Amino acid sequence: MDFNDIWKARAVPGPDVQALYSKIKNYRTRRLRRLVLTNICLVLTSVFIASIGFWIQPERLTTWAGILVAILAMVTFLLVYNRMIPLYRALDDHSDSHRFMDTLLTVKKKEAFLNRQMMNLYFFLLSLGLALYMYEYVIRMELKWAVLTYTVMFAWIGFNWWVIRPRQIRKEQEKISSIITRLEEVQGQFKG
Amino acid sequence: MTKDFEHVYSVYWEKVYRLCMGYVNDDASARDLAQETFIRVWENLPGFRGDAQIGTWIFRIASNHCLRQLEKDKKHRKTELPLQLPEEVPPDRAVEVELLYRLIAELPETDRIIISLELEEVKQGEIAQILGLSEGNVRVRIHRIKERLTQRFKDYGF
């Protein structure tokens, strides 16, 4: 059986360099767009939170601290998110495939770790920021309203921490770990 | 740069396309994979130092790009063959071609790339360099894959 002949008998669409050039253009724009959008969204949110402080002119340090901590949550998210990009840039896709798979696996494991840590820190900082921010306004209320406000707030924070956060982390982790498992399988083929 | 790239593109397009086709056995995906490979070639060509042959370099990019599909696909793309090919289809070249590409796409990922490169008549030493395997290992695996393909072709009456 001459497999070489059969292999080459396959009909191949002709090369289309113009289609390729337009794809190159789109590809660059798409890659940049996501990065820029995420950064712009979080920077705008931070500016919005900061402007609340500016317009309301809080009297207590706790309110300022709350605003700062919330901004810090955004900044942390951006720092970690932007740190993942060089990880992928470092992937040398013209190294041999064995080495490439090893690096890709390391990158994925690092991404899984960063994701989990980032989610924990992000939720923690946002909750802390909110609790601190509310303090100034709550102490001006009657005791029963103050208790009610903080109860609702802590219930909300608890719901986020024990329900939303683990769900988000699990969703991300499931996605990444199934990729890691598949990469490990293929990595095993290089050793076999 | 544009002229160099277009030359490389016209020489290697078919080879890269078939390699991707052997990996996914799906025309649209193979075209995307091959095009994306050439996007990477376009981006990296100015930095190509010539310490490997250009073919080895392009096949490495293509092979790595195919393997990156593992990040996207939920499951391996394995097209199951019917137990018997329909009798009215004559066992001509078109059926053989379809069968070969299907059988290759059912192999483990690295074997798909090895046999596709072998069928592109890339030297075994070069295949070893592309994949980062020893030449001995490549030789043994090609032998096993061809044996398996021959057996499967016999099973289908060829």
Side-chain angles (χ1 to χ4, degrees), chain B:
Chain B
M1 153 77 186
T2 311
K3 232 176 174 181
D4 288 346
F5 173 74
E6 285 178 11
H7 174 70
V8 165
Y9 176 66
S10 64
V11 172
Y12 284 93
W13 166 257
E14 282 196 9
K15 296 169 191 284
V16 169
Y17 179 88
R18 280 194 295 259
L19 171 71
C20 299
M21 192 61 197
Y23 191 84
V24 290
N25 190 32
D26 176 83
D27 277 303
S29 309
R31 193 166 40 236
D32 284 347
L33 278 175
Q35 279 187 333
E36 283 156 14
T37 297
F38 280 103
I39 292 177
R40 301 295 296 145
V41 170
W42 162 264
E43 286 179 331
N44 289 294
L45 197 58
F48 174 64
R49 294 185 303 271
D51 45 6
Q53 285 183 34
I54 185 100
T56 311
W57 184 74
I58 292 173
F59 283 133
R60 271 183 178 174
I61 297 178
S63 157
N64 292 339
H65 197 63
C66 285
L67 289 170
R68 279 200 84 164
Q69 294 314 295
L70 293 162
E71 287 182 273
K72 293 175 191 161
D73 290 353
K74 282 236 179 291
K75 282 178 189 154
H76 300 294
R77 255 182 246 261
K78 280 183 181 169
T79 326
E80 287 301 320
L81 275 174
L83 286 175
Q84 289 290 319
L85 287 173
E87 278 179 20
E88 63 273 20
V89 180
D92 63 2
R93 186 43 57 105
V95 181
E96 284 179 341
V97 170
E98 203 191 322
L99 182 61
L100 178 65
Y101 278 81
R102 277 189 181 184
L103 291 177
I104 289 176
E106 282 181 10
L107 295 169
E109 288 80 355
T110 50
D111 285 354
R112 292 181 217 170
I113 294 169
I114 291 174
I115 192 64
S116 302
L117 291 169
E118 163 73 9
L119 296 176
E120 276 307 327
E121 292 170 7
V122 177
K123 288 184 188 129
Q124 294 186 355
E126 233 180 294
I127 300 178
Q129 278 180 35
I130 292 165
L131 285 153
L133 295 167
S134 71
E135 208 175 324
N137 192 335
V138 169
R139 195 168 38 248
V140 171
R141 284 168 79 164
I142 288 175
H143 180 70
R144 277 195 212 139
I145 300 166
K146 280 190 171 169
E147 255 183 5
R148 188 173 162 183
L149 289 176
T150 309
Q151 186 54 50
R152 295 299 305 274
F153 262 74
K154 276 185 191 156
D155 294 345
Y156 283 99
F158 288 98

Side-chain angles (χ1 to χ4, degrees), chain A residues 121-138:
Chain A
L121 198 63
Y122 183 70
F123 274 94
F124 172 74
L125 288 177
L126 271 189
S127 309
L128 182 67
L130 182 65
L132 285 170
Y133 179 81
M134 293 294 286
Y135 182 71
E136 179 175 340
Y137 307 102
V138 170

Side-chain angles (χ1 to χ4, degrees), chain A residues 1 24 28 81 100 102 123 135-136 146 155 170 175 180 185:
Chain A
M1 183 68 63
I24 289 174
R28 282 181 176 162
Y81 180 76
F100 179 80
D102 288 347
F123 274 94
Y135 182 71
E136 179 175 340
R170 201 173 50 239
K175 212 165 71 189
I180 289 177
E185 265 173 42

Side-chain angles (χ1 to χ4, degrees), chain A residues 13-28:
Chain A
D16 181 353
V17 79
Q18 289 316 318
L20 186 71
Y21 284 148
S22 74
K23 198 163 180 172
I24 289 174
K25 213 173 141 197
N26 285 338
Y27 176 77
R28 282 181 176 162

